mmCIF file of all heavy atoms in Angstrom:
data_model
loop_
_atom_site.group_PDB
_atom_site.id
_atom_site.type_symbol
_atom_site.label_atom_id
_atom_site.label_comp_id
_atom_site.label_asym_id
_atom_site.label_seq_id
_atom_site.Cartn_x
_atom_site.Cartn_y
_atom_site.Cartn_z
ATOM 1 N N ALA A 1522 154.043 44.687 -14.913
ATOM 2 C CA ALA A 1522 153.524 45.048 -13.697
ATOM 3 C C ALA A 1522 153.670 43.772 -12.831
ATOM 4 O O ALA A 1522 153.958 42.740 -13.270
ATOM 5 C CB ALA A 1522 152.081 45.445 -13.794
ATOM 6 N N VAL A 1523 153.331 43.943 -11.614
ATOM 7 C CA VAL A 1523 153.276 42.841 -10.653
ATOM 8 C C VAL A 1523 151.741 42.401 -10.647
ATOM 9 O O VAL A 1523 150.914 43.243 -10.291
ATOM 10 C CB VAL A 1523 153.807 43.049 -9.316
ATOM 11 C CG1 VAL A 1523 153.540 41.859 -8.367
ATOM 12 C CG2 VAL A 1523 155.219 43.408 -9.321
ATOM 13 N N TYR A 1524 151.476 41.212 -10.887
ATOM 14 C CA TYR A 1524 150.055 40.667 -10.901
ATOM 15 C C TYR A 1524 149.808 40.020 -9.614
ATOM 16 O O TYR A 1524 150.519 38.943 -9.297
ATOM 17 C CB TYR A 1524 149.725 39.871 -12.147
ATOM 18 C CG TYR A 1524 149.672 40.736 -13.364
ATOM 19 C CD1 TYR A 1524 150.898 41.094 -14.076
ATOM 20 C CD2 TYR A 1524 148.504 41.107 -13.935
ATOM 21 C CE1 TYR A 1524 150.804 41.972 -15.135
ATOM 22 C CE2 TYR A 1524 148.450 42.016 -15.020
ATOM 23 C CZ TYR A 1524 149.570 42.422 -15.662
ATOM 24 O OH TYR A 1524 149.561 43.254 -16.743
ATOM 25 N N LEU A 1525 148.823 40.476 -8.756
ATOM 26 C CA LEU A 1525 148.643 39.891 -7.498
ATOM 27 C C LEU A 1525 147.312 39.132 -7.556
ATOM 28 O O LEU A 1525 146.366 39.554 -8.023
ATOM 29 C CB LEU A 1525 148.500 40.962 -6.521
ATOM 30 C CG LEU A 1525 149.780 41.848 -6.284
ATOM 31 C CD1 LEU A 1525 149.327 43.157 -5.460
ATOM 32 C CD2 LEU A 1525 150.831 41.112 -5.619
ATOM 33 N N CYS A 1526 147.378 37.897 -6.923
ATOM 34 C CA CYS A 1526 146.089 37.204 -6.751
ATOM 35 C C CYS A 1526 145.789 37.241 -5.220
ATOM 36 O O CYS A 1526 146.741 37.345 -4.348
ATOM 37 C CB CYS A 1526 146.456 35.726 -7.138
ATOM 38 S SG CYS A 1526 144.859 34.675 -6.933
ATOM 39 N N ALA A 1527 144.546 37.100 -4.927
ATOM 40 C CA ALA A 1527 144.165 37.154 -3.497
ATOM 41 C C ALA A 1527 142.903 36.282 -3.347
ATOM 42 O O ALA A 1527 142.090 36.091 -4.310
ATOM 43 C CB ALA A 1527 143.771 38.587 -2.996
ATOM 44 N N SER A 1528 142.708 35.783 -2.258
ATOM 45 C CA SER A 1528 141.468 35.011 -1.991
ATOM 46 C C SER A 1528 140.922 35.339 -0.551
ATOM 47 O O SER A 1528 141.612 35.942 0.252
ATOM 48 C CB SER A 1528 141.767 33.466 -2.055
ATOM 49 O OG SER A 1528 142.578 33.062 -1.018
ATOM 50 N N SER A 1529 139.667 34.970 -0.323
ATOM 51 C CA SER A 1529 139.003 35.323 0.828
ATOM 52 C C SER A 1529 137.743 34.374 1.020
ATOM 53 O O SER A 1529 137.298 33.666 0.176
ATOM 54 C CB SER A 1529 138.552 36.685 0.991
ATOM 55 O OG SER A 1529 137.380 36.981 0.206
ATOM 56 N N LEU A 1530 137.363 34.251 2.303
ATOM 57 C CA LEU A 1530 136.165 33.490 2.628
ATOM 58 C C LEU A 1530 135.193 34.397 3.264
ATOM 59 O O LEU A 1530 135.445 35.127 4.108
ATOM 60 C CB LEU A 1530 136.608 32.461 3.668
ATOM 61 C CG LEU A 1530 135.685 31.403 4.128
ATOM 62 C CD1 LEU A 1530 135.152 30.695 2.940
ATOM 63 C CD2 LEU A 1530 136.044 30.515 5.269
ATOM 64 N N MET A 1531 134.028 34.352 2.718
ATOM 65 C CA MET A 1531 132.967 35.136 3.050
ATOM 66 C C MET A 1531 133.336 36.668 3.124
ATOM 67 O O MET A 1531 133.947 37.121 2.104
ATOM 68 C CB MET A 1531 132.398 34.700 4.488
ATOM 69 C CG MET A 1531 131.964 33.339 4.450
ATOM 70 S SD MET A 1531 130.495 32.984 3.469
ATOM 71 C CE MET A 1531 129.233 33.671 4.425
ATOM 72 N N GLU A 1532 133.286 37.304 4.181
ATOM 73 C CA GLU A 1532 133.581 38.770 4.270
ATOM 74 C C GLU A 1532 134.802 38.985 5.038
ATOM 75 O O GLU A 1532 135.103 40.102 5.484
ATOM 76 C CB GLU A 1532 132.479 39.565 4.877
ATOM 77 C CG GLU A 1532 131.186 39.540 4.039
ATOM 78 C CD GLU A 1532 130.147 40.444 4.608
ATOM 79 O OE1 GLU A 1532 130.331 41.042 5.653
ATOM 80 O OE2 GLU A 1532 129.093 40.748 3.888
ATOM 81 N N GLN A 1533 135.753 38.011 5.133
ATOM 82 C CA GLN A 1533 137.064 38.197 5.793
ATOM 83 C C GLN A 1533 137.962 39.018 4.900
ATOM 84 O O GLN A 1533 137.734 39.186 3.730
ATOM 85 C CB GLN A 1533 137.561 36.826 6.043
ATOM 86 C CG GLN A 1533 136.757 35.987 6.991
ATOM 87 C CD GLN A 1533 136.694 36.685 8.333
ATOM 88 O OE1 GLN A 1533 137.649 37.082 8.904
ATOM 89 N NE2 GLN A 1533 135.480 36.755 8.878
ATOM 90 N N PRO A 1534 138.919 39.744 5.500
ATOM 91 C CA PRO A 1534 139.857 40.428 4.853
ATOM 92 C C PRO A 1534 140.566 39.488 3.660
ATOM 93 O O PRO A 1534 140.720 38.396 3.996
ATOM 94 C CB PRO A 1534 140.955 40.832 5.754
ATOM 95 C CG PRO A 1534 140.236 40.930 7.019
ATOM 96 C CD PRO A 1534 139.248 39.762 6.933
ATOM 97 N N ILE A 1535 140.929 40.026 2.579
ATOM 98 C CA ILE A 1535 141.468 39.163 1.486
ATOM 99 C C ILE A 1535 142.918 38.979 1.801
ATOM 100 O O ILE A 1535 143.673 39.825 2.349
ATOM 101 C CB ILE A 1535 141.281 39.888 0.032
ATOM 102 C CG1 ILE A 1535 141.841 41.265 0.001
ATOM 103 C CG2 ILE A 1535 139.864 39.737 -0.286
ATOM 104 C CD1 ILE A 1535 141.677 41.920 -1.348
ATOM 105 N N SER A 1536 143.377 37.721 1.433
ATOM 106 C CA SER A 1536 144.825 37.415 1.617
ATOM 107 C C SER A 1536 145.483 37.283 0.216
ATOM 108 O O SER A 1536 145.041 36.729 -0.622
ATOM 109 C CB SER A 1536 144.844 35.984 2.214
ATOM 110 O OG SER A 1536 144.238 36.009 3.486
ATOM 111 N N PHE A 1537 146.535 38.097 0.216
ATOM 112 C CA PHE A 1537 147.367 38.143 -1.058
ATOM 113 C C PHE A 1537 148.433 37.194 -1.270
ATOM 114 O O PHE A 1537 148.984 36.762 -0.308
ATOM 115 C CB PHE A 1537 147.892 39.595 -1.172
ATOM 116 C CG PHE A 1537 147.005 40.756 -1.542
ATOM 117 C CD1 PHE A 1537 146.267 41.373 -0.538
ATOM 118 C CD2 PHE A 1537 146.670 40.938 -2.928
ATOM 119 C CE1 PHE A 1537 145.366 42.298 -0.886
ATOM 120 C CE2 PHE A 1537 145.757 42.051 -3.115
ATOM 121 C CZ PHE A 1537 145.189 42.608 -2.222
ATOM 122 N N GLY A 1538 148.703 36.844 -2.453
ATOM 123 C CA GLY A 1538 149.735 35.974 -2.835
ATOM 124 C C GLY A 1538 151.070 36.952 -3.017
ATOM 125 O O GLY A 1538 150.885 38.111 -3.012
ATOM 126 N N PRO A 1539 152.147 36.315 -3.299
ATOM 127 C CA PRO A 1539 153.436 37.085 -3.425
ATOM 128 C C PRO A 1539 153.464 37.818 -4.763
ATOM 129 O O PRO A 1539 154.397 38.756 -4.919
ATOM 130 C CB PRO A 1539 154.489 36.120 -3.365
ATOM 131 C CG PRO A 1539 153.975 34.840 -3.672
ATOM 132 C CD PRO A 1539 152.487 34.897 -3.247
ATOM 133 N N GLY A 1540 152.697 37.534 -5.702
ATOM 134 C CA GLY A 1540 152.658 38.137 -6.945
ATOM 135 C C GLY A 1540 153.544 37.556 -8.031
ATOM 136 O O GLY A 1540 154.364 36.720 -7.766
ATOM 137 N N THR A 1541 153.191 37.702 -9.322
ATOM 138 C CA THR A 1541 153.998 37.465 -10.445
ATOM 139 C C THR A 1541 154.497 38.754 -11.070
ATOM 140 O O THR A 1541 153.601 39.523 -11.429
ATOM 141 C CB THR A 1541 153.261 36.612 -11.472
ATOM 142 O OG1 THR A 1541 152.922 35.366 -10.837
ATOM 143 C CG2 THR A 1541 154.098 36.426 -12.748
ATOM 144 N N ARG A 1542 155.840 38.988 -11.315
ATOM 145 C CA ARG A 1542 156.302 40.053 -11.796
ATOM 146 C C ARG A 1542 156.528 39.843 -13.368
ATOM 147 O O ARG A 1542 157.215 39.056 -13.784
ATOM 148 C CB ARG A 1542 157.639 40.527 -11.286
ATOM 149 C CG ARG A 1542 158.234 41.742 -11.804
ATOM 150 C CD ARG A 1542 159.612 42.238 -11.092
ATOM 151 N NE ARG A 1542 159.413 42.415 -9.759
ATOM 152 C CZ ARG A 1542 158.851 43.568 -9.351
ATOM 153 N NH1 ARG A 1542 158.736 44.602 -10.130
ATOM 154 N NH2 ARG A 1542 158.976 43.733 -7.950
ATOM 155 N N LEU A 1543 155.668 40.495 -14.144
ATOM 156 C CA LEU A 1543 155.627 40.368 -15.594
ATOM 157 C C LEU A 1543 156.326 41.528 -16.255
ATOM 158 O O LEU A 1543 156.016 42.654 -15.993
ATOM 159 C CB LEU A 1543 154.172 40.291 -16.097
ATOM 160 C CG LEU A 1543 154.028 40.313 -17.651
ATOM 161 C CD1 LEU A 1543 154.580 38.988 -18.203
ATOM 162 C CD2 LEU A 1543 152.575 40.503 -18.051
#
Side-chain angles (χ1 to χ4, degrees):
Chain A
V1523 176
Y1524 288 81
L1525 299 169
C1526 180
S1528 69
S1529 72
L1530 186 61
M1531 302 297 284
E1532 294 187 352
Q1533 295 302 312
I1535 55 177
S1536 300
F1537 283 89
T1541 294
R1542 183 177 299 278
L1543 175 67

